[in-house]
Amino acid sequence: MTYEFLQNYWWVLIALLGGLLVALMFVQGANLHLGNRALNDTQKRMVLNSTGRKWELTFTTLVTFGGAFFASFPLFYSTSFGGAYWVWVLLLLSFVFQAVAYEFQHKKGNLLGVKGFRVALMANGLLAPFLVGTAVGTFFTGSDFTVNKVAITDPSAPVISTWGNNWHGLEALGQYHAVLLGVTLMFLAAILGALYILNNVDDETIRAQMRRSIKMSIGPFLVAFLFWTAILFARQGYAVTPDQVVYLEPFKYWHNLLAMPVVLVMLLSGVVLLLYSLYLGAFSKSLKGIWFAMPGTVLVVMSVFFLAGFNGTAYYPSCTDLQSSLTLDNSCSSFFTLKVMACVSLLIPFVVAYIAYAWRAMDRKKITEEEISSGENKY
Amino acid sequence: MDVVIWSRIQFAMTAAYHWLFVPLTLGLALVMAVMETLYVVKKDEFWKKTAQFWIKLFAINFAVGIATGIILEFEFGTNWSNYSWFVGDMFGAPLAIEGILAFFMEATFFAVMFFGWNKVSPKFHLASTWLTGIGATISAYWILVANGWMQNPVGTTFNPDTVRSEMASAAAFWEVITNPVAVSKFCHSVTSGWVTGGIFVVGVSAWYLLKRRHVEFARKSMLVGAIVGLVGSGAVMLSGDSSGVHAAEFQPMKLAAAEGLEDGGNGAAFTIVPGIKIPHMLSLLATHDWNGYVPGINDILNGYTDNEGHVIPSVAEKMEMGRKALDALAVYRSTEDPAVRADALEVLNANVQYMGYGHLEKAEDVVPPVGVVFWAFRLMIGLGMLIALVLLLVLIAIWKDKLGAWKWLLWAAIVCIPLVYICGQSGWVVAEVGRQPWTIQGLLPVNVAISSLSAGAVKTTFFIFLAVFALFLAIEIRILVRAIGKGPEVEPENI
């Protein structure tokens, strides 16, 4: 195993975790229906209890995504988290409220009431995919930061990674290309959520609402996604020479796609799977759309990460100082640490296997009105 | 106040708040797993209902623990940017392993435990309950490997080409994960969680007994809680002893501060409270030698010779060497000339051991707030012993069938619930305030570990988090109290 191989291997894992995170954001999307007026309270609780059995998976994937990024590409962690401060703090707050909202929502004495916690869950449903999407969007637009490792020897200003403005990440909201990816993810999460509930909850009214919701989301999702993709392939990108000099190259991401046929195939098959799931969810009686949408999402997200980081590309570019841009090579952990982590990653299939086993055991029976009205162990 | 102070306050608050929920998670997990095992082995519905009640309380507590855990993980990056880069090579690995190995286990099996009573077989359910607790414990191990490394940074070397500490070999990684500080910290923290869980169960049960409600449930819960708590107490004391030895060896300043020891020497006395001392006791505890040498604050400032005969330079000398290292690093990084780089590298390598000291302004900066550490240490030990005594008396009372007669003991058990939290928090104050000014002992002081943020930004997030934490704590306590008030769903009996 060479150092370069391990850097690439870890980028694949980061991409996979990113893909799984977005796919698991069906939890966020489904929770938007807690504000759906066509559903009565019992039906809303069915939705709540359905996502309530899965939210920790999404949450843990987020934590692991952060931990894995920290372990494999620590310069990204220190630069982006410390720099785009407000974006990460906002994301954090939305997840923190989500984490307690399930357990507290229907308990007496919870101070915020059922409504308060439902609002928190819906806010998380919109904000989490939007902020994650916008943050990943800046992988292509670039951000305003500099990296200077000698700074640590200067007691008056010792910080290596410094952000160029006081908006600390909120300025990304002014970059329409990054925001478009945020919007895309928001509608994707809504679609995934509806597809998941369609499959997991046995109730005709709810199912009708889910199909309706999918139909309403298809348009905005496709428009945002197509625009984002078109702009991506038309824009100039941040290329890196083999000796680590960063320069701007027109149509860089388009070139990347053509240079990496595997990514092209992944992207196209992901899109096909997603489109098929949309058809199943909106225009057929099938309940199985989610089983196509999730792998489709993983494939598309992974190919987006591959376009950002592979084929001589700076995945976290600085638009202030090109040479400060982060590449797989200049931001990663040491050879040895990546090796250790690669060994640890061999446990991932085992983890996925027991999650799948537990999931199947728990979902053998769909959630019904009877279970939610009479069961003891519920949110 | 500047950004360093606000960053520290914010992180300290988040960590302290997180530690309100973690010990109960670790302790209750063991209690309820034992109870459910009794149900599966004895096939007695009573134990099922009993386990279910404590699982209900566990779930209320678990949620806030998860919510605050993610904030800590993010804050390493958001508020300690330089630190994240400097240690990322070593620190990220345990964090990622914690995610892959522990968090998924907790998350997956918690859901089965909570929702799965009628969905999976009793044995699968029992396994899930155990795995939830085991996941939490594994998680504690990995995060304490990271914390232990910050107290005693073994297994890494500074790489001037990347400007960070790096692990270079399997032996180094092994050193990191078997770091004696990490191992004793893990034992100390987890078993202190058992004490917390134990005394929580005992205290809540005591309240039922005083109210003459759910008597059978309360007595049996109390027995399990007291045993778990007492086993925990014993283990806490043993691991506390080795923590003291490690502090003496790796963080002598922390020990000197905890003892308020201005001037050390051979056969040093242990101060119980100012004015009351046990001769030779500190040497015995710290070095396991009646006449062992324990340096005081002034000795560390001025330099001394340790028990192995090593001459430890004064802080002023260390600072000078540290500055030489930093200057050499700056030269090494800013020139392409191979000869100049080779010279710079030589100076750097000769002084790199003390590079962290080069960031300090004055020698006294290495002294942590002595009063805080001194009293926190006494509070921890005093309360810990008191709680162990109460647990022991509870077991005696159960054995002699005196629970009904010894009402004062039931009240004492209830009072111990808040005390066990004060005890645990004090322990962390000793561990973390005691190592100031270091984020990483000897390598990176707090003022160099930060992010480039304005004090105002961190202040704002501090108050946001403070409000959120206060709200969650209020809700959590209200819900817990109501759930306890409602009680378990077992048949009420009288004494």
Side-chain angles (χ1 to χ4, degrees), chain B residues 25 250 315 490:
Chain B
T25 298
F250 307 118
V315 174
V490 287

Side-chain angles (χ1 to χ4, degrees), chain A residues 79-157:
Chain A
T79 303
S80 180
F81 278 52
Y85 190 69
W86 290 112
V87 174
W88 297 113
V89 167
L90 271 178
L91 185 70
L92 199 52
L93 280 172
S94 91
F95 270 101
V96 166
F97 270 92
Q98 188 224 22
V100 297
Y102 285 102
E103 184 62 39
F104 287 174
Q105 189 168 142
H106 287 98
K107 298 269 189 323
K108 281 183 184 149
N110 69 10
L111 294 175
L112 298 183
V114 173
K115 209 172 173 186
F117 285 106
R118 285 191 180 168
V119 169
L121 285 177
M122 288 189 282
N124 173 252
L126 289 174
L127 270 179
F130 176 73
L131 290 173
V132 168
T134 308
V136 174
T138 63
F139 284 20
F140 302 96
T141 60
S143 303
D144 180 11
F145 66 87
T146 50
V147 175
N148 172 21
K149 288 180 186 163
V150 192
I152 204 165
T153 63
D154 174 9
S156 62

Side-chain angles (χ1 to χ4, degrees), chain B residues 29 36 134 272 446 495:
Chain B
E36 197 181 330
I134 292 171
I272 294 179
V446 279
I495 269 183

Side-chain angles (χ1 to χ4, degrees), chain B residues 46-215:
Chain B
F46 168 84
W47 283 113
K48 181 181 179 184
K49 295 285 179 195
T50 305
Q52 277 178 332
F53 174 73
W54 297 110
I55 288 176
K56 192 163 84 180
L57 301 192
F58 177 89
I60 297 168
N61 179 70
F62 192 58
V64 195
I66 294 178
T68 48
I70 196 176
I71 306 181
L72 282 174
E73 186 201 19
F74 273 49
E75 278 182 4
F76 288 127
T78 54
N79 294 87
W80 304 98
S81 166
N82 257 13
Y83 166 85
S84 293
W85 171 248
F86 195 84
V87 308
D89 192 58
M90 174 274 139
F91 196 86
L95 221 57
I97 297 173
E98 187 183 12
I100 293 170
L101 222 57
F103 289 154
F104 279 110
M105 194 187 275
E106 274 183 273
T108 307
F109 293 106
F110 173 80
V112 179
M113 175 180 80
F114 193 73
F115 295 107
W117 288 105
N118 304 318
K119 290 179 185 278
V120 299
S121 71
K123 282 191 179 155
F124 185 11
H125 193 278
L126 176 65
S128 302
T129 306
W130 276 105
L131 285 169
T132 304
I134 292 171
T137 310
I138 296 176
S139 147
Y141 183 72
W142 287 103
I143 198 64
L144 291 172
V145 161
N147 182 281
W149 183 83
M150 291 161 76
Q151 318 272 353
N152 178 30
V154 292
T156 54
T157 41
F158 179 74
N159 180 350
D161 293 314
T162 52
V163 193
R164 65 179 175 192
S165 281
E166 292 183 354
M167 285 191 293
S169 64
F173 185 63
W174 182 249
E175 247 189 290
V176 168
I177 63 175
T178 58
N179 184 349
V181 176
V183 173
S184 60
K185 234 174 203 309
F186 167 73
C187 296
H188 201 55
S189 309
V190 169
T191 51
S192 83
W194 296 359
V195 179
T196 308
I199 201 73
F200 180 82
V201 171
V202 170
V204 171
S205 305
W207 185 76
Y208 287 134
L209 288 183
L210 283 168
K211 295 274 165 192
R212 294 178 181 276
R213 289 173 54 193
H214 317 296
V215 171

Side-chain angles (χ1 to χ4, degrees), chain B residues 12 77 118 155 212 273 320 352 354 455 471 483:
Chain B
N118 304 318
R212 294 178 181 276
V273 285
E320 199 183 323
V352 72
Y354 298 112
L471 176 71

Side-chain angles (χ1 to χ4, degrees), chain B residues 183-379:
Chain B
V183 173
S184 60
K185 234 174 203 309
F186 167 73
C187 296
H188 201 55
S189 309
V190 169
T191 51
S192 83
W194 296 359
V195 179
T196 308
I199 201 73
F200 180 82
V201 171
V202 170
V204 171
S205 305
W207 185 76
Y208 287 134
L209 288 183
L210 283 168
K211 295 274 165 192
R212 294 178 181 276
R213 289 173 54 193
H214 317 296
V215 171
E216 185 60 18
F217 161 86
R219 284 168 158 268
K220 290 192 170 159
S221 292
M222 212 172 210
L223 180 63
V224 177
I227 292 172
V228 167
L230 209 56
V231 169
S233 288
V236 165
M237 286 178 203
L238 286 177
S239 52
D241 173 66
S242 61
S243 290
V245 175
H246 294 143
E249 191 174 350
F250 307 118
Q251 296 174 300
M253 182 59 94
K254 183 193 277 183
L255 185 72
E259 274 304 301
L261 189 68
E262 296 276 332
D263 298 295
N266 291 91
F270 181 85
T271 307
I272 294 179
V273 285
I276 305 178
K277 294 187 181 199
I278 310 176
H280 290 275
M281 194 60 181
L282 181 59
S283 284
L284 189 65
L285 286 175
T287 64
H288 285 183
D289 174 359
W290 186 251
N291 270 321
Y293 177 78
V294 181
I297 293 168
N298 291 330
D299 304 311
I300 296 166
L301 284 173
N302 300 324
Y304 63 98
T305 305
D306 71 10
N307 283 310
E308 275 90 49
H310 301 127
V311 177
I312 311 293
S314 71
V315 174
E317 287 169 288
K318 289 179 185 170
M319 285 169 67
E320 199 183 323
M321 288 187 268
R323 288 208 186 100
K324 273 188 199 160
L326 287 174
D327 290 343
L329 176 63
V331 172
Y332 178 83
R333 298 278 313 177
S334 54
T335 177
E336 297 287 323
D337 184 337
V340 178
R341 275 167 71 93
D343 287 347
L345 196 57
E346 200 175 317
V347 177
L348 176 63
N349 287 336
N351 297 288
V352 72
Q353 188 186 357
Y354 298 112
M355 197 164 76
Y357 287 83
H359 295 292
L360 301 176
E361 280 176 25
K362 51 185 192 303
E364 291 72 27
D365 287 350
V366 300
V367 185
V370 176
V372 176
V373 184
F374 179 85
W375 285 110
F377 189 47
R378 265 134 204 88
L379 204 55

